[in-house]
Amino acid sequence: MASLDIGQKFGDYTLQKRLARGGMGEIWLAERKGMAGFSKQVVIKTILESYIDEPGLVQMFLDEGRIAANLTHPNIAQTFDLGQVGETYYIAMEYVHGQDLRNLLIMHYSLGQHIPLNLVLQIAAQTCEGLYYAHNWKTPEGLPAGIVHRDISPQNIIVTFDGTIKIVDFGIARAMSGASKTRSGVLK
């Protein structure tokens, strides 16, 4: 498998810019074009080539896509697609135009400022609303899914430029109804 590059066609998407590269994967800004001038920017999350032969990590990635695809809430970034191009697994998600809370905190700290209290309360309230929704989501059969995010951290809370809060990265989420189980003593 060749590495991904700017301008490359990736299934139905064209990669525009690499947004991040972590220990296990990459995140890309991409565009999907369609008929009559249709164009939609999305975020493509992939697993690095070095991990595609590790069934546990691939399953965790697929579980993330499966879990997040079921969640439709204004404070959770929408998941549109889960697939594979060649040997590369991917999740296509809503592009959230904003900054993660970590960068917002760093910016305010470097300026010697506090984040305004009304924004802090808005961030906390909307994050709680999204998590409450995920935790109480029921399967199509009406059973509690019991989704627990397990990685709510400042970099997984996006503050949009219009003031909406979006939770991202359900990568280590657990759903009681799914296959994603944690063994005792295992750190996720």
Side-chain angles (χ1 to χ4, degrees), residues 21-73:
R21 180 181 173 102
M24 290 179 38
E26 293 181 326
I27 299 175
W28 290 84
L29 178 63
E31 180 181 38
R32 182 171 186 178
K33 290 189 175 190
M35 62 185 289
F38 173 86
S39 175
K40 178 86 173 164
Q41 283 193 315
V42 298
V43 169
I44 300 288
K45 181 176 183 177
T46 65
I47 297 179
L48 293 177
E49 179 180 3
S50 56
Y51 292 106
I52 62 172
D53 292 329
E54 295 194 29
L57 292 176
V58 170
Q59 189 59 53
M60 192 168 78
F61 185 83
L62 297 174
D63 286 347
E64 173 186 2
R66 183 185 47 78
I67 289 169
N70 289 304
L71 303 176
T72 305
H73 188 274

Side-chain angles (χ1 to χ4, degrees), residues 49-172:
E49 179 180 3
S50 56
Y51 292 106
I52 62 172
D53 292 329
E54 295 194 29
L57 292 176
V58 170
Q59 189 59 53
M60 192 168 78
F61 185 83
L62 297 174
D63 286 347
E64 173 186 2
R66 183 185 47 78
I67 289 169
N70 289 304
L71 303 176
T72 305
H73 188 274
N75 300 119
I76 297 174
Q78 190 73 49
T79 296
F80 301 127
D81 195 10
L82 171 65
Q84 185 175 1
V85 174
E87 294 182 340
T88 304
Y89 294 96
Y90 72 90
I91 300 171
M93 301 173 284
E94 172 184 4
Y95 170 60
V96 180
H97 191 57
Q99 286 221 354
D100 68 50
L101 182 55
R102 180 182 181 275
N103 285 329
L104 194 63
L105 290 166
I106 289 169
M107 180 186 70
H108 277 81
Y109 180 79
S110 69
L111 296 172
Q113 300 174 345
H114 294 284
I115 296 177
L117 180 60
N118 64 332
L119 181 57
V120 170
L121 295 174
Q122 183 177 340
I123 291 167
Q126 289 186 36
T127 301
C128 288
E129 287 176 25
L131 291 172
Y132 179 83
Y133 170 83
H135 184 74
N136 288 290
W137 186 81
K138 293 184 178 4
T139 68
E141 297 79 27
L143 301 171
I147 296 171
V148 180
H149 189 287
R150 300 196 306 182
D151 191 20
I152 286 299
S153 56
Q155 58 269 26
N156 290 335
I157 299 170
I158 308 295
V159 181
T160 68
F161 292 122
D162 71 358
T164 303
I165 307 309
K166 296 276 189 172
I167 300 168
V168 298
D169 198 356
F170 279 76
I172 61 171

